[in-house]
Amino acid sequence: GAAERDAFTYARALALALLDRERARGNQAGTVVTDSGFLSLPFCRRLQRRGWHWLIAAPVDTRVEYKGELQELRVLFDGVRSLKSAGDGVSYRVLDVIYPGYGPVRAFYVRFVDHKGELHTLYLLTDLTKKKASARSVLRKYLRRWNIEVGHKQSKETFNLRGYHGHTLHGHINFYALVLLAHQVAEAVVHLWELDVGIPTLALRVRLAALESTAQKAAACKPVLTSSTVPHINHDGHYAGRNVSSELMT
């Protein structure tokens, strides 16, 4: 209907087109993992019709049905004190709910501490049943995607690109090319400075370290699609075309 067409944005259409292309290339991934910008009933239905399972971060005001009552996720999990530990600083609570218009799904409330010691909370929805994936397996799938989120954020902050929004594949490729180019320029500046004065400068070295970290994260994400609008393909460290991952990530 009209409402479904309105909710199905260009970004989601682009994501599906690129996911279809990956499948045509032989990628046998069974689960699509995305950020909250992709969550919509039409998108989830299209994934289901294509035979993919999905695991998507959910905005706090996402409404689900629990025990016959429609509630926002933040209300549903409000005041939750009894959390289960998944190890490595991750704790969670999971409930079986109904995603209106779709059917039974699982809702997760997750708290975790990143490598910098910062605490994060998020909500997840997935059609992966307990038989398909345990709660800990679901969390591992999503948290493996976290470096994509962090890498893109660091790239924006390092190069003052906070207002950047990519909406095409070429736009994202250009973005990562700029990141890598900036790293090369910074490295050359440091090298020339050292040749001129004979000693490295701490300020330049610190800046270069930040650029190098950003460039490495950008390279590791290999932009088939992008962090804000299109999925990255996670191959658990292998990017030579081998199909060793079970998830498509964005």
Side-chain angles (χ1 to χ4, degrees):
E4 179 170 327
R5 287 194 299 272
D6 290 343
F8 191 64
T9 64
Y10 170 79
R12 297 183 183 114
L14 176 61
L16 277 178
L18 292 173
L19 288 168
D20 287 338
R21 187 179 70 179
E22 282 302 312
R23 172 170 284 178
R25 288 177 172 178
N27 193 308
Q28 299 300 312
T31 304
V32 176
V33 182
T34 81
D35 64 23
S36 59
F38 286 89
L39 183 65
S40 77
L41 179 58
F43 186 68
C44 293
R45 282 176 170 171
R46 283 167 167 80
L47 291 176
Q48 182 187 48
R49 287 198 290 265
R50 285 166 166 79
W52 279 308
H53 290 290
W54 50 269
L55 169 58
I56 304 179
V60 297
D61 59 354
T62 301
R63 295 171 68 84
V64 297
E65 182 181 329
Y66 182 65
K67 294 184 177 180
E69 182 181 353
L70 275 177
Q71 299 182 60
E72 294 182 354
L73 287 175
R74 61 183 162 195
V75 175
L76 180 62
F77 289 103
D78 186 37
V80 167
R81 294 197 174 108
S82 177
L83 298 178
K84 296 182 179 180
S85 173
D88 297 324
V90 180
S91 55
Y92 70 96
R93 181 75 180 272
V94 57
L95 296 172
D96 293 319
V97 301
I98 302 296
Y99 186 27
Y102 186 92
V105 299
R106 286 194 285 172
F108 286 77
Y109 170 72
V110 186
R111 300 177 65 184
F112 68 96
V113 178
D114 65 18
H115 67 283
K116 292 183 178 180
E118 296 178 356
L119 178 65
H120 301 272
T121 62
L122 55 88
Y123 300 90
L124 304 173
L125 289 181
T126 181
D127 72 335
L128 287 165
T129 64
K130 294 176 182 178
K131 291 183 178 180
K132 290 286 185 180
S134 67
R136 291 193 177 195
S137 175
V138 169
L139 295 178
R140 284 195 300 270
K141 288 176 188 294
Y142 193 84
L143 293 179
R144 278 208 301 271
R145 179 201 169 276
W146 192 251
N147 280 339
I148 295 174
E149 187 109 359
V150 172
H152 199 73
K153 179 181 178 182
Q154 288 184 351
S155 298
K156 284 186 172 184
E157 291 177 349
T158 300
F159 299 109
N160 197 27
L161 294 171
R162 292 176 181 83
Y164 167 80
H165 295 283
H167 295 286
T168 67
L169 177 58
H170 289 299
H172 289 292
I173 292 174
N174 291 340
F175 171 73
Y176 284 109
L178 283 173
V179 171
L180 297 173
L181 178 61
H183 166 69
Q184 295 298 322
V185 170
E187 189 173 49
V189 169
V190 171
H191 180 65
L192 291 173
W193 184 275
E194 292 178 353
L195 288 177
D196 185 44
V197 301
I199 56 172
T201 66
L202 178 60
L204 283 173
R205 278 297 172 191
V206 169
R207 186 61 173 169
L208 178 60
L211 290 170
E212 185 175 26
S213 174
T214 300
Q216 288 174 348
K217 289 180 181 295
C221 288
K222 195 177 182 181
V224 175
L225 297 163
T226 90
S227 81
S228 61
T229 60
V230 283
H232 292 263
I233 308 304
N234 181 308
H235 290 293
D236 294 335
H238 301 286
Y239 300 102
R242 287 180 288 174
N243 180 31
V244 297
S245 172
S246 61
E247 295 91 40
L248 294 170
M249 301 195 176
T250 170

